[in-house]
Amino acid sequence: MMMQRRCLTMWRRSLSAGYRCFECRRGGPKGIWSSPAVRACSMPACPAGRITALEAIDLWKRCFEKRGVAEPEHSSQYIIAHLLGAKTIESVEQERLTEFLSQEQTEQVWKLCSKRLSSMPVQYVIEEWDFRDLTLKMRPPVFIPRPETEELVELVLADLQMKSGTQHTCLEVGCGSGAISLSLLKSVPQLKAFALDQSQEAVDLTTENMFRLGLQDRLQIHHIDVMKDAQSVLSLCSSVSALVSNPPYLFSEDMASLQPDIFRFEDHAALDGGTDGLNVIKQILTLAPQILSSEGRVYLEVDPRHPPLIRRWVEVNVEELQYVETRHDISGRPRFCILQKEKSNKDHELDLN
Amino acid sequence: MSELIPPVRILYNVCSRVIWRGPPSTPLLKPPTAGLTCVLTVGKKDLTNLPVLSEDELEEQFVRGSGPGGQATNKTSNCVVLKHIPTGIVVKCHQTRSVDINRKRARDIMREKLDVHYKGELSEVLMKKKEAVKRKQEQRRKANENLERKRLFKEALAADSEPGKGTV
């Protein structure tokens, strides 16, 4: 017991002295250690004595605070809970939190928390995250689903469930990890979906998540850039009930001020929507009437400044689309735009010109 | 003077059912919540006897820090704080890693708390607790009875197999 207390004191002293220590010997990942950013950071030594989960959480929380890592306490808690096989620290029994971690567990804690030191998002550190009732694999640089997007799914579901009974198809532009499509498919058993992304890595990750969730019989994933290859999108599907997207919508000038977690690790192409953030959005809306069935709807997640701009632009440029409404997110910001294709007597025929 | 019967205010029937909210015409303190039309959650718990929540009476706070939100923010904190304005009851939920699920759970918990608040002893939560206690007592009683019966049976067997008495 005295041994452990002495070790703890040593770590605390070494932390405050900015002591430069070695990383854990066993299984140190090559990639992260060769990064100059990480080598420049000093980090606590992997303990010689034993440490409990609670002590590890506290130690790393303080380390993150010192290093200016965002959400120091949450980061520490999520990573260590994950290593204990739980999703949140609250769901771990008190006894387990005060038990000593094994040598292997301790090394794992050090390995993962060290990654977080470079501001790698927690979701990439633990390689997974939850979206609604799904657990999805996460991998840089594929965009990490945001909580606001859960609400986008709810909006689509509300409409789909009102029209229940009939077969529906949806198209997602910019699927990333597959969060939106997979979530819709899970909640609507009769739904079929198409998902596209311009990034091969996103297509691969969505594919992986699709198989993990056993939804491969109802989802088709395609590597298509909607900006460069509209024709491929149009030949893929028509008469879609819902066109959903969380497209890159940030203004280019805002990219530079993004927090390091995002700027350093997530695909900028999944974020940058151009000067006014509307590049991809406009393209989607232009193609929408040819993709949607009569009275089919577009659901977009956007920047809070966009809704009035989109409404005006659509009025002028996309005759067949009606702006239905703007919905707000949980923070009270205008966040979602819903538009509807006008009623037509026949299904839109493919324009092959 | 002591009250023999707890005051039971069936206020929940006064609350209107949650309906699909249209676009906001005036700035709201809290946003119209997307998609939370069906509050009677069809889940593992039977929540049909709990008070119906009216979103009008709720104030919801999502602890995600200041910052632009959406794609411009990546935060993992997802604690939802729900306040029921008429009663002042506050529910905090950060049970899962999904904000959406935490919001739904917060509402379930709120309904249970409102039930206790309005119905006291007669609330679902307390009734279920009483039932559980009763069931346990019943199980214990039966277990004891069985043990007793077995003990008597053994005694009877022992008495029968004593030497001097005929055995089959």
Side-chain angles (χ1 to χ4, degrees), chain A residues 53-214:
Chain A
L54 276 179
E55 286 165 349
I57 289 171
D58 188 60
L59 190 151
W60 276 101
K61 168 193 152 203
R62 285 180 286 113
C63 184
F64 292 147
E65 273 167 353
K66 201 164 186 274
R67 297 276 152 246
V69 170
E71 300 187 299
E73 189 168 28
H74 280 109
S75 301
S76 185
Q77 288 172 338
Y78 278 125
I79 292 171
I80 290 162
H82 176 74
L83 287 171
L84 293 176
K87 292 190 173 186
T88 61
I89 203 68
E90 291 84 10
S91 58
V92 182
E93 307 89 50
Q94 196 59 27
E95 305 92 63
R96 284 196 76 199
L97 292 176
T98 47
E99 265 171 17
F100 284 122
L101 296 171
S102 70
Q103 174 73 4
E104 165 117 29
Q105 283 174 319
T106 308
E107 286 178 4
Q108 276 299 323
V109 169
W110 252 250
K111 175 175 160 183
L112 294 190
C113 287
S114 302
K115 287 188 183 179
R116 181 72 187 126
L117 269 180
S118 61
S119 288
M120 177 184 273
V122 168
Q123 300 94 332
Y124 288 154
V125 170
I126 63 176
E127 296 178 343
E128 67 172 47
W129 201 244
D130 292 343
F131 183 82
R132 294 183 77 242
D133 53 350
L134 304 179
T135 299
L136 300 167
K137 273 268 160 271
M138 294 286 133
R139 195 157 53 232
V142 181
F143 180 81
I144 296 165
R146 309 300 199 243
E148 284 87 348
T149 315
E150 292 180 319
E151 297 186 65
L152 178 66
V153 172
E154 291 280 337
L155 290 177
V156 182
L157 280 179
D159 284 352
L160 284 179
Q161 276 153 5
M162 276 213 281
K163 306 184 202 169
S164 73
T166 27
Q167 268 275 3
H168 288 294
T169 314
C170 67
L171 169 66
E172 184 188 355
V173 176
C175 52
S177 57
I180 295 174
S181 289
L182 293 170
S183 200
L184 287 172
L185 287 170
K186 178 109 191 289
S187 300
V188 186
Q190 317 94 327
L191 183 70
K192 288 211 159 82
F194 293 91
L196 328 162
D197 206 290
Q198 53 83 32
S199 153
Q200 184 63 54
E201 286 148 318
V203 166
D204 293 343
L205 185 58
T206 298
T207 305
E208 193 178 328
N209 281 320
M210 170 186 75
F211 279 114
R212 291 179 124 253
L213 295 167

Side-chain angles (χ1 to χ4, degrees), chain B:
Chain B
M1 165 156 156
S2 62
E3 287 169 60
L4 298 169
I5 305 160
V8 178
R9 297 172 292 151
I10 322 280
L11 281 182
Y12 56 87
N13 281 328
V14 173
C15 305
S16 54
R17 272 189 319 114
V18 175
I19 52 168
W20 182 257
R21 293 187 67 120
S25 49
T26 50
L28 297 165
L29 281 172
K30 52 162 181 58
T33 43
L36 287 171
T37 48
C38 181
V39 178
L40 290 172
T41 51
V42 182
K44 294 174 190 161
K45 279 174 148 177
D46 173 24
L47 301 172
T48 47
N49 294 326
L50 296 178
V52 173
L53 276 182
S54 168
E55 290 292 324
D56 290 324
E57 298 186 331
L58 296 176
E59 216 172 73
E60 190 170 30
Q61 229 186 309
F62 169 38
V63 184
R64 188 153 141 80
S66 58
Q71 289 173 1
T73 304
N74 180 27
K75 294 259 149 75
T76 54
S77 59
N78 53 20
C79 181
V80 174
V81 182
L82 200 59
K83 179 174 172 181
H84 184 247
I85 303 163
T87 58
I89 295 175
V90 176
V91 169
K92 259 193 210 171
C93 181
H94 51 110
Q95 292 176 11
T96 76
R97 300 190 298 207
S98 157
V99 171
D100 192 61
I101 307 265
N102 287 344
R103 293 176 76 189
K104 287 171 178 158
R105 291 211 183 166
R107 280 159 174 78
D108 290 344
I109 297 167
M110 180 64 83
R111 291 176 72 198
E112 283 181 359
K113 289 202 168 179
L114 285 177
D115 196 41
V116 172
H117 179 85
Y118 291 138
K119 296 204 271 179
E121 286 275 304
L122 301 175
S123 69
E124 293 293 313
V125 174
L126 293 179
M127 298 279 263
K128 284 207 173 106
K129 273 196 184 150
K130 281 190 195 154
E131 272 172 42
V133 168
K134 254 194 187 166
R135 239 178 289 132
K136 262 202 171 152
Q137 287 174 339
E138 189 61 23
Q139 282 171 344
R140 229 176 279 144
R141 190 183 64 77
K142 283 205 172 128
N144 286 336
E145 260 178 46
N146 278 335
L147 282 172
E148 188 60 21
R149 232 180 284 135
K150 282 184 182 158
R151 188 182 71 78
L152 290 171
F153 185 67
K154 275 195 183 146
E155 276 181 14
L157 268 182
D160 278 345
S161 61
E162 261 169 27
K165 301 221 168 154
T167 45
V168 181

Side-chain angles (χ1 to χ4, degrees), chain A residues 105-337:
Chain A
Q105 283 174 319
T106 308
E107 286 178 4
Q108 276 299 323
V109 169
W110 252 250
K111 175 175 160 183
L112 294 190
C113 287
S114 302
K115 287 188 183 179
R116 181 72 187 126
L117 269 180
S118 61
S119 288
M120 177 184 273
V122 168
Q123 300 94 332
Y124 288 154
V125 170
I126 63 176
E127 296 178 343
E128 67 172 47
W129 201 244
D130 292 343
F131 183 82
R132 294 183 77 242
D133 53 350
L134 304 179
T135 299
L136 300 167
K137 273 268 160 271
M138 294 286 133
R139 195 157 53 232
V142 181
F143 180 81
I144 296 165
R146 309 300 199 243
E148 284 87 348
T149 315
E150 292 180 319
E151 297 186 65
L152 178 66
V153 172
E154 291 280 337
L155 290 177
V156 182
L157 280 179
D159 284 352
L160 284 179
Q161 276 153 5
M162 276 213 281
K163 306 184 202 169
S164 73
T166 27
Q167 268 275 3
H168 288 294
T169 314
C170 67
L171 169 66
E172 184 188 355
V173 176
C175 52
S177 57
I180 295 174
S181 289
L182 293 170
S183 200
L184 287 172
L185 287 170
K186 178 109 191 289
S187 300
V188 186
Q190 317 94 327
L191 183 70
K192 288 211 159 82
F194 293 91
L196 328 162
D197 206 290
Q198 53 83 32
S199 153
Q200 184 63 54
E201 286 148 318
V203 166
D204 293 343
L205 185 58
T206 298
T207 305
E208 193 178 328
N209 281 320
M210 170 186 75
F211 279 114
R212 291 179 124 253
L213 295 167
L215 295 167
Q216 62 271 23
D217 53 343
R218 292 188 286 133
L219 175 62
Q220 273 188 44
I221 308 166
H222 295 267
H223 181 206
I224 297 175
D225 184 339
V226 74
M227 301 301 292
K228 298 180 180 156
D229 190 8
Q231 207 47 251
S232 295
V233 184
L234 298 179
S235 14
L236 191 63
C237 51
S238 56
S239 286
V240 151
S241 322
L243 204 182
V244 200
S245 186
N246 177 23
Y249 59 67
L250 299 183
F251 290 48
S252 298
E253 66 188 5
D254 295 334
M255 292 294 294
S257 52
L258 286 174
Q259 65 187 105
D261 308 49
I262 302 175
F263 192 86
R264 289 183 202 163
F265 294 93
E266 285 187 293
D267 186 2
H268 287 201
L271 298 158
D272 191 340
T275 313
D276 58 4
L278 287 171
N279 289 359
V280 184
I281 289 172
K282 284 178 176 170
Q283 178 73 335
I284 292 172
L285 293 172
T286 302
L287 299 174
Q290 297 163 80
I291 298 169
L292 290 169
S293 57
S294 166
E295 295 181 302
R297 286 186 162 188
V298 185
Y299 304 82
L300 297 172
E301 182 181 319
V302 302
D303 181 278
R305 290 162 284 186
H306 284 158
L309 303 174
I310 291 173
R311 187 194 276 270
R312 271 200 296 270
W313 185 85
V314 163
E315 252 169 65
V316 176
N317 296 279
V318 193
E319 215 188 288
E320 299 133 298
L321 277 186
Q322 269 287 322
Y323 194 92
V324 176
E325 61 175 340
T326 305
R327 300 298 296 254
H328 291 60
D329 64 28
I330 187 172
S331 314
R333 297 181 172 109
R335 184 63 71 184
F336 308 108
C337 297

